[in-house]
Amino acid sequence: MNLRGTPPSSTRILDANAWRPGQDAESELIARRVRVLGPSYRLFYRQPLEIVRGHGTRLWDAEGREYLDVYNNVASVGHTHPHVVEAIARQAAVLTTHTRYLDRGIVAYAERLLALLPDPIDRAVFTCSGSEANDLAVRVARAATGQRGVIVTEEAYHGNTALVTGMSPSLGVGVGPEVVTVPAPDPMAAPHRSFAAGVRAGIERLAAQGLRPAALLLDSILSSDGVHPALDLAEAVAAVRAAGGVVIADEVQPGFGRTGSAMWGFARHDVVPEIVTLGKPMGNGMPIAAVLAQAAVLEPFSAGEPYFNTFGGTQVSIAAADAVLDVLEREGLQAHAAAVGRELRALLDELAVVHRSIADVRGDGLFIGLQLREDDGSPGTALAADVINLLRQRGVLTSVCGAHGDTLKLRPPLPFSRADAARLADELDGVLGDLEA
């Protein structure tokens, strides 16, 4: 049975699972969107969805069809969680204004948040987005070290400001002149590729340009590179510090208990970064993010220039973020992610025995990469695109990642249940069975 579609024209992060003009008949809404929003915006899937409602791990489209969400980490504690919704509404009815007035809420939340981090990390600066947080973190690192170079992975995504776009090679626009990229481990290669060796080589490439590293900017599960939970990260960190640099742990995706085995992705590797960045999952989708840092690292930047963000930590966003911590604690979502994640990986491992197209299953907690391959062993780029679009037809939503766009990125809201995991496995079994027939 030939169900294969047209391979994507690009495997970069915004294009790997994107609708393209002419791919299907354009709806009236798509035509209006393109006309007023322009061509830079992307839509998911060959047949885009109009999502109008969400709750927990479910989304509903304009026709009332229900979908299982296996992708949206931004709604970290579940879509429209009632405790978070109530906290937002209550605060919005009282006050939301800029951050240059004294406010007890932001101070109390910062204290609560920092208490969840290792002791050396004792300062918080709030922003509106992970992009802003990573932009600020790099500026802080450069001020602290007096050095300019930045090391990122080959498929990293760290945001869309001018500065961090140049540190986000997955966007396909290249990297900045003071940035070097290093490869992710390749589980399909022999011998196994050392991440730390790549970082050491990156330091040498910077030196050849007359640069020293200000920072290793890293999402510790390498989510855009294909989800790689096993890294010799401590060795890589030691190399960066020996060269005078610091570590920026981008926790926008692996943070807040998602990996199950630890509250923070970096904690899985027994390292303590100088700087940690957080993004919108901390507010369940509200525009709030943060830079958390060691005081001594933040001080040179603070002494050199003031930082002000009008809505970075405004009252409504802080209320949402505080409510998210309530839910994480009350519902035990880190332990839940660990338990359900183990069961989901076991189900996927069983499918890998049956389906020749599954090359690898890897991850931790509710952050799993399912790598696909063609019959000849080559990357399953077109196959992955077909799988996610056929899953969408079956009411399951996810996307892809990795250098070849051959890895399904399974990253659902944290309340994802055992029944949800079983449904995903059943639908994936059916899709792969059809495609392999």
Side-chain angles (χ1 to χ4, degrees):
M1 181 182 299
N2 182 13
L3 298 177
R4 303 301 294 273
T6 304
S9 61
S10 168
T11 60
R12 294 302 183 184
I13 190 169
L14 291 181
D15 289 319
N17 180 24
W19 170 85
R20 294 171 182 79
Q23 198 162 254
D24 284 294
E26 291 186 12
S27 71
E28 177 265 347
L29 181 58
I30 290 175
R32 288 169 56 201
R33 175 187 167 103
V34 170
R35 184 169 62 252
V36 298
L37 299 184
S40 292
Y41 282 87
R42 300 293 193 274
L43 288 164
F44 279 141
Y45 304 111
R46 293 168 185 155
Q47 294 178 299
L49 287 166
E50 182 185 356
I51 296 296
V52 298
R53 185 166 64 91
H55 184 74
T57 61
R58 300 297 195 274
L59 294 168
W60 285 264
D61 68 15
E63 283 71 47
R65 184 178 183 187
E66 176 190 299
Y67 296 85
L68 176 63
D69 186 354
V70 194
Y71 185 71
N72 284 293
N73 69 312
V74 172
S76 57
V77 299
H79 296 282
T80 64
H81 192 289
H83 182 65
V84 180
V85 170
E86 193 277 332
I88 292 168
R90 182 175 62 247
Q91 183 58 51
V94 176
L95 175 70
T96 184
T97 186
H98 64 69
T99 56
R100 293 188 68 180
Y101 298 116
L102 279 173
D103 185 88
R104 292 181 183 274
I106 192 172
V107 174
Y109 176 74
E111 292 169 341
R112 184 182 185 187
L113 179 62
L114 289 168
L116 301 174
L117 278 291
D119 286 341
I121 301 170
D122 57 359
R123 296 289 187 274
V125 181
F126 293 100
T127 67
C128 296
S129 69
S131 296
E132 287 182 328
N134 283 325
D135 185 298
L136 177 59
V138 171
R139 293 160 61 193
V140 168
R142 285 174 167 171
T145 63
Q147 300 177 176
R148 299 290 302 175
V150 177
I151 302 169
V152 299
T153 55
E154 288 180 345
E155 295 297 323
Y157 174 73
H158 295 294
N160 56 24
T161 69
L163 180 64
V164 294
T165 290
M167 299 170 190
S168 300
S170 65
L171 291 175
V173 296
V175 295
E178 298 170 318
V179 179
V180 296
T181 64
V182 298
D186 185 354
M188 311 309 296
H192 181 70
R193 186 163 63 196
S194 164
F195 177 71
V199 170
R200 288 193 292 270
I203 293 170
E204 292 174 0
R205 292 202 305 277
L206 285 173
Q209 302 174 42
L211 295 168
R212 290 170 62 85
L216 169 63
L217 173 56
L218 182 79
D219 160 7
S220 58
I221 202 165
L222 305 192
S223 54
S224 294
D225 293 85
V227 185
H228 298 279
L231 298 175
D232 48 353
L233 185 58
E235 188 179 343
V237 167
V240 170
R241 287 175 175 160
V246 300
V247 177
I248 303 171
D250 181 342
E251 291 288 317
V252 172
Q253 295 193 57
F256 289 99
R258 171 158 295 281
T259 59
S261 61
M263 183 66 166
W264 310 107
F266 66 80
R268 299 175 57 254
H269 304 280
D270 293 322
V271 300
V272 177
E274 285 81 3
I275 304 171
V276 175
T277 57
L278 308 175
K280 283 180 283 293
M282 69 189 290
N284 216 46
M286 286 295 291
I288 184 169
V291 175
L292 310 178
Q294 300 181 21
V297 174
L298 186 59
E299 177 58 29
F301 174 83
S302 301
E305 60 180 289
Y307 180 79
F308 171 58
N309 190 310
T310 304
F311 292 108
T314 193
Q315 291 84 0
V316 171
S317 292
I318 289 291
D322 199 48
V324 165
L325 292 185
D326 290 342
V327 175
L328 286 169
E329 294 171 4
R330 294 172 187 175
E331 300 184 10
L333 289 181
Q334 180 185 331
H336 176 84
V340 176
R342 282 193 298 270
E343 294 193 17
L344 177 56
R345 290 197 307 280
L347 291 170
L348 298 176
D349 284 337
E350 291 175 8
L351 292 184
V353 174
V354 176
H355 295 287
R356 62 184 182 273
S357 56
I358 298 179
D360 195 33
V361 180
R362 53 186 180 263
D364 192 11
L366 288 174
F367 210 143
I368 298 173
L370 183 83
Q371 189 169 6
L372 301 177
R373 63 187 168 201
E374 300 289 353
D375 287 342
D376 62 3
S378 62
T381 304
L383 174 62
D386 290 336
V387 168
I388 58 176
N389 279 281
L390 289 172
L391 284 173
R392 171 246 186 271
Q393 292 179 19
R394 290 171 173 252
V396 176
L397 305 180
T398 190
S399 194
V400 295
C401 59
H404 303 289
D406 60 350
T407 301
L408 270 61
K409 189 176 187 177
L410 308 177
R411 186 194 54 179
L414 294 180
F416 199 74
S417 69
R418 290 171 171 83
D420 292 337
R423 178 181 171 188
L424 168 62
D426 286 345
E427 298 295 358
L428 183 60
D429 183 29
V431 165
L432 290 175
D434 288 344
L435 289 169
E436 292 171 351

